[in-house]
């Protein structure tokens, strides 16, 4: 029996991980702490909400009093920190929350892990901390060169994790992952935005020339990687998580048009994202050699599965693409579309 704290468990990847762990480890107990920002959604967890092995608290990870009381009461074995502000465009418009949640929130958790002798903490971080590379791939020792307030705040959190391991021997492991995709992804990100726009018979807004490259990992493959890192990874180490499936945004868009039976007139090129990273690429040799991880989903399989999920779960995303979302979308795209 292990008790795991998952922060940000009502978000995209956190909710996928909770479902994965309950399935894989019938004897585990999961506590989910989530502030329920615009990105947190309890509908992501409807199917497991009544599972006696699962509990939810609505709280902010920067609330040190709440976090201290919780750790004191629950005596966690493991902590998985998924909670973060995650959308690059929002970080450019309004960076404050990124600094608080991504840096101070991680600090608050590290303090509690230190004080209450938690066995292991995994910090879910991103390839964006390395900045952009035009050739080759980032390894675990590539220098940090973040280019957006989002990636800078994630880099800050990673530095703190490293420092807490070196200075206090806090048993933290850091992961740097490429772009996730799969079910329950909030429709502001590239893939779910484009899929849902096409399902609504709307155009898709490509930033700049569309030749920006991202590396993609399907949700299930990422859950398996975190499972291995949590149980078999070495504390104080960093693991890159990547598949090698690198694609230009424009090529991915053309695949989506094919899958959804639309022609190229649905593509709209718009003004670029400021500071837009040209290319991400991850070298995950360490994860493969040390922990034996390999992806199970090809990019095409994952993309098709993702498209089908959004086709079959229209009420889930239609509810999200209304109200506050509309205001965000208008603010985000108005200036870019009109220039
Ligand atoms: P998401 O935006 O879908 O969900 C984030 C969750 O964190 C939400 O449920 C939100 O309510 C919660 N949250 C935000 N601030 C909080 C706070 N102060 N206290 C408690 N909860 C709070 O995120 P995601 O895309 O699933 O990403 C999860 C993690 O993985 C993040 O740390 C992100 O940086 C990292 N990551 C994401 C990707 C990707 O492609 N999405 C890739 C690499 C790493
Ligand atoms: O690389 C990992 C990161 O991937 C995570 O750490 C972030 O949390 C996550 O948001 C994601 O960041 P990106 O900036 O890569 O993802 P996004 O979905 O915002 O954009 C993917 C690419 O698509 C990027 O080159 C910008 C482009 N894009 C995005 C949107 C929303 C468009 O062309 N049009 C759009 O409308």
């Amino acid at each position: 029996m292990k008790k795991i704290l998952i922060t940000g468990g009502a978000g995209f990847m956190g909710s996928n991980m909770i479902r994965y762990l309950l399935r894989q480890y019938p004897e585990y107990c999961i506590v989910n702490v989530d502030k329920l920002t615009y990105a947190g959604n309890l509908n992501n967890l409807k199917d497991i909400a009544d599972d006696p092995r699962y509990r939810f608290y609505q709280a902010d990870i920067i609330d040190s009093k709440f976090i201290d009381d919780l750790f004191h009461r629950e005596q966690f074995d493991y902590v998985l920190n998924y909670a973060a502000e995650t959308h690059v465009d929002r970080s450019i418009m309004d960076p404050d929350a990124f600094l608080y949640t991504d840096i101070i929130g991680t600090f608050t958790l590290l303090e509690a892990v230190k004080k209450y002798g938690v066995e292991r903490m995994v910090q879910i971080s991103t390839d964006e901390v390395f900045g952009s590379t035009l050739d080759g791939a980032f390894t675990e020792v590539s220098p940090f060169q973040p280019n957006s307030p989002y990636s800078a705040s994630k880099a800050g959190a990673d530095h703190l994790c490293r420092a807490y391991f070196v200075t206090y021997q806090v048993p933290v492991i850091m992961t740097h992952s490429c772009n996730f995709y799969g079910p329950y992804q909030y429709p502001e990100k590239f893939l779910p935005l484009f899929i849902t726009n096409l399902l609504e018979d709307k155009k898709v807004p490509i930033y700049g020339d569309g030749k920006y490259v991202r590396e993609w990992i399907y949700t299930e493959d990422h859950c398996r990687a975190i499972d291995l890192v949590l149980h078999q990874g070495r504390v104080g180490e960093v693991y890159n998580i990547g598949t090698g499936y690198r694609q230009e945004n424009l090529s991915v868009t053309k695949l989506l048009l094919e899958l959804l039976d639309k022609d190229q007139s649905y593509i709209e090129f718009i003004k670029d994202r400021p500071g837009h990273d040209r290319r991400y690429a991850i070298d995950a040799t360490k994860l493969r050699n040390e922990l034996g991880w390999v992806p199970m989903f090809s990019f095409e399989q994952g993309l098709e599965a993702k498209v089908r999920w959004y086709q079959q779960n229209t009420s889930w995303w239609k509810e999200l693409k209304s109200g506050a979302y509309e205001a965000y979308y208008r603010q985000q795209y108005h200036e870019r579309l009109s220039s």
Side-chain angles (χ1 to χ4, degrees):
M1 194 332 234
K2 294 281 183 194
K3 193 183 274 189
I4 310 187
L5 169 64
I6 297 199
T7 67
F12 161 46
M13 204 57 220
S15 61
N16 276 289
M17 189 61 183
I18 291 174
R19 193 171 290 103
Y20 170 93
L21 286 170
L22 289 173
R23 197 177 65 228
Q24 285 301 113
Y25 299 98
E27 72 286 9
Y28 279 16
C29 164
I30 313 267
V31 175
N32 172 16
V33 169
D34 196 298
K35 184 178 173 182
L36 298 184
T37 66
Y38 76 94
N41 182 359
L42 290 179
N43 286 341
N44 297 0
L45 294 160
K46 257 186 180 164
D47 53 330
I48 56 98
D50 296 328
D51 191 311
R53 298 167 299 155
Y54 167 77
R55 252 173 309 131
F56 170 68
Y57 294 97
Q58 181 172 5
D60 191 327
I61 58 163
I62 75 170
D63 181 346
S64 53
K65 168 85 172 69
F66 172 85
I67 292 293
D68 189 273
D69 288 348
L70 182 77
F71 274 69
H72 178 69
R73 223 172 37 242
E74 300 281 359
Q75 299 295 311
F76 296 115
D77 299 290
Y78 302 145
V79 173
L80 295 178
N81 184 23
Y82 284 87
E85 289 290 339
T86 62
H87 193 41
V88 173
D89 293 320
R90 286 184 191 255
S91 85
I92 295 167
M93 289 193 300
D94 201 1
D96 295 42
F98 287 76
L99 273 65
Y100 286 111
T101 291
D102 299 9
I103 304 178
I104 306 295
T106 303
F107 161 69
T108 307
L109 293 171
L110 285 165
E111 279 290 305
V113 168
K114 169 159 78 88
K115 181 168 170 187
Y116 292 102
V118 171
E119 222 175 289
R120 267 154 188 254
M121 166 169 165
V122 180
Q123 172 70 2
I124 316 294
S125 190
T126 169
D127 56 6
E128 300 204 8
V129 298
F130 300 120
S132 175
T133 179
L134 293 183
D135 49 38
F138 303 118
T139 70
E140 284 79 3
V141 296
S142 294
F144 280 14
Q145 292 186 318
N147 292 318
S148 72
Y150 162 68
S151 49
S153 67
K154 291 295 288 187
D158 291 348
H159 284 312
L160 275 175
C161 289
R162 178 190 152 86
Y164 267 63
F165 173 72
V166 174
T167 306
Y168 307 113
Q169 294 77 54
V170 165
V172 60
I173 305 177
M174 291 141 276
T175 61
H176 293 130
S177 181
C178 62
N179 287 55
F180 312 149
Y181 70 110
Y184 300 104
Q185 188 170 25
Y186 189 84
E188 67 186 346
K189 304 273 164 71
F190 171 61
L191 280 179
L193 174 69
F194 279 31
I195 293 168
T196 56
N197 272 14
L198 292 171
L199 290 174
E200 293 176 304
D201 207 36
K202 290 184 185 156
K203 292 190 174 192
V204 293
I206 294 199
Y207 298 167
D209 62 5
K211 296 196 171 159
Y212 292 84
V213 174
R214 294 293 181 267
E215 181 166 329
W216 295 98
I217 184 167
Y218 194 62
T219 38
E220 188 74 11
D221 281 329
H222 193 264
C223 290
R224 287 176 33 255
I226 296 299
D227 179 359
L228 284 168
V229 168
L230 174 67
H231 292 99
Q232 295 172 38
R234 288 177 293 139
V235 295
E237 290 288 323
V238 180
Y239 294 89
N240 279 355
I241 304 178
T243 55
Y245 304 143
R246 297 169 195 148
Q247 302 275 347
E248 284 186 358
N249 295 337
L250 195 51
S251 321
V252 176
T253 305
K254 287 181 181 163
L255 285 174
L256 290 179
L257 292 174
E258 243 174 70
L259 281 168
L260 289 164
D261 209 14
K262 301 278 186 205
D263 62 40
Q264 303 214 4
S265 67
Y266 282 83
I267 294 179
E268 184 159 33
F269 288 94
I270 67 165
K271 195 173 158 192
D272 214 344
R273 169 186 282 174
H276 197 170
D277 284 329
R278 191 66 169 168
R279 177 177 176 272
Y280 300 141
I282 275 283
D283 179 338
T285 308
K286 180 173 172 180
L287 182 73
R288 286 170 188 249
N289 290 351
E290 218 180 270
L291 303 181
W293 177 89
V294 283
M296 309 281 268
F297 285 80
S298 70
F299 181 66
E300 288 71 18
Q301 284 170 329
L303 196 66
E304 194 167 342
K306 176 158 180 135
V307 167
R308 301 297 162 236
W309 190 88
Y310 280 80
Q311 280 178 320
Q312 285 157 12
N313 291 275
T314 43
S315 57
W316 179 87
W317 58 263
K318 281 205 164 151
E319 198 179 323
L320 297 175
K321 272 186 126 177
S322 61
Y325 178 94
E326 297 243 353
Y328 160 76
Y329 193 83
R330 272 200 303 277
Q331 187 186 2
Q332 176 64 26
Y333 290 100
H334 173 73
E335 187 227 346
R336 292 178 182 209
L337 284 170
S338 57
S339 59

